[in-house]
Amino acid sequence: MKFFIDTASLAQIKEAKDLGILDGVTTNPSLMAQEGISGQINIINHYKAICDIVDGDVSAEVISTDFRGMVEEGKRLADLAPNIVVKVPMIKEGIKAISYFTEIGIRTNCTLVFSAGQAILAAKAGATYLSPFIGRIDDLNWDGIGLIAEIAEIYAVQGYDTEILAASIRNSKHIVDAAKAGADVITSPLGPILALLNHPLTDIGLQKFLADHAKAAQNA
Ligand code: G3P
């Protein structure tokens, strides 16, 4: 399973990259706004800065909601770097745009996915990645991880190539459960990724190893 970081923060992207486990980055308009990035030129420059840090795929989301606008914006974004993946919302015009991008060889990430039916449409259109939002589904007391498992089963049965990118990750258990359910990729904020490190027995064990080592050195 690939690890993407879900942020527009250059500092957090660098921190995840330094761990040596980073396969890519996803952003969205809310994450760009959180970093105070606005205006076409600043947005473009920010994507370039992200692509300078990571070799893996970087999802850059279109703002337009009509076919023509999405195509113009998507082509501009795809021209920025070979690792840009154009992120397109799961709406009728979005599916048309994904089909067109597939035809001309631009890779896509179909975002805002909340059902298996939407997942089938995106795969038929040739989306490179599919982003089901598991945290937002859980927020409504539905089963986000259950949706990942359902899509993984459908994609396996049908032989679809689209990669399942579990998004809207809220905690480290989501990452573990998405791996079990068959996600090809998770995209997560830095916090849940770092929380995978945590276990009290690791801390206790390390303290004891270091204390025993120090005692042996004293007695030598
Ligand atoms: O990038 C899309 C997704 O990961 C958003 O997550 O936490 O805003 O539901 P969240």
Side-chain angles (χ1 to χ4, degrees):
M1 188 174 78
K2 289 186 262 188
F3 269 55
F4 289 0
I5 188 165
D6 196 26
T7 184
S9 155
L10 299 181
Q12 291 194 13
I13 293 168
K14 281 183 194 139
E15 189 175 340
K17 191 193 174 192
D18 287 347
L19 283 173
I21 52 90
L22 189 65
D23 298 302
V25 176
T26 53
T27 61
N28 63 38
S30 305
L31 294 171
M32 294 293 268
Q34 262 172 41
E35 296 305 309
I37 313 296
S38 66
Q40 209 179 336
I41 293 174
N42 291 336
I43 290 173
I44 292 291
N45 286 339
H46 202 73
Y47 282 133
K48 283 186 187 160
I50 294 174
C51 291
D52 283 345
I53 300 171
V54 285
D55 300 325
D57 288 346
V58 173
S59 286
E61 187 157 344
V62 296
I63 306 297
S64 306
T65 53
D66 64 295
F67 173 75
R68 190 181 291 263
M70 286 185 196
V71 165
E72 274 172 23
E73 236 185 286
K75 281 181 172 171
R76 262 202 312 273
L77 291 168
D79 277 347
L80 293 178
N83 52 334
I84 288 277
V85 173
V86 179
K87 204 169 177 190
V88 179
M90 165 45 76
I91 55 176
K92 192 175 175 189
E93 295 289 289
I95 288 297
K96 270 169 70 178
I98 290 170
S99 301
Y100 175 74
F101 286 134
T102 304
E103 257 175 49
I104 63 169
I106 289 180
R107 295 177 310 134
T108 53
N109 175 354
C110 182
T111 189
L112 290 166
V113 170
F114 296 93
S115 78
Q118 293 177 327
I120 291 171
L121 264 186
K124 285 289 291 176
T128 314
Y129 295 106
L130 177 89
S131 291
F133 278 26
I134 62 179
R136 292 192 196 183
I137 294 173
D138 286 359
D139 289 345
L140 297 181
N141 284 325
W142 292 338
D143 181 7
I145 293 294
L147 177 62
I148 299 291
E150 189 182 8
I151 297 170
E153 185 182 347
I154 292 168
Y155 279 14
V157 168
Q158 297 297 329
Y160 290 138
D161 292 331
T162 300
E163 291 189 53
I164 303 167
L165 195 172
S168 186
I169 297 265
R170 301 283 167 75
N171 52 58
S172 55
K173 189 169 185 305
H174 271 157
I175 299 178
V176 174
D177 290 345
K180 268 201 293 197
D184 300 291
V185 191
I186 58 94
T187 189
S188 168
L190 186 58
I193 294 174
L194 294 179
L196 290 171
L197 289 163
N198 298 342
H199 200 291
L201 290 179
T202 303
D203 300 337
I204 292 166
L206 182 60
Q207 270 170 20
K208 178 149 172 44
F209 286 156
L210 295 179
D212 289 346
H213 174 77
K215 231 185 275 167
Q218 264 172 13
N219 295 339

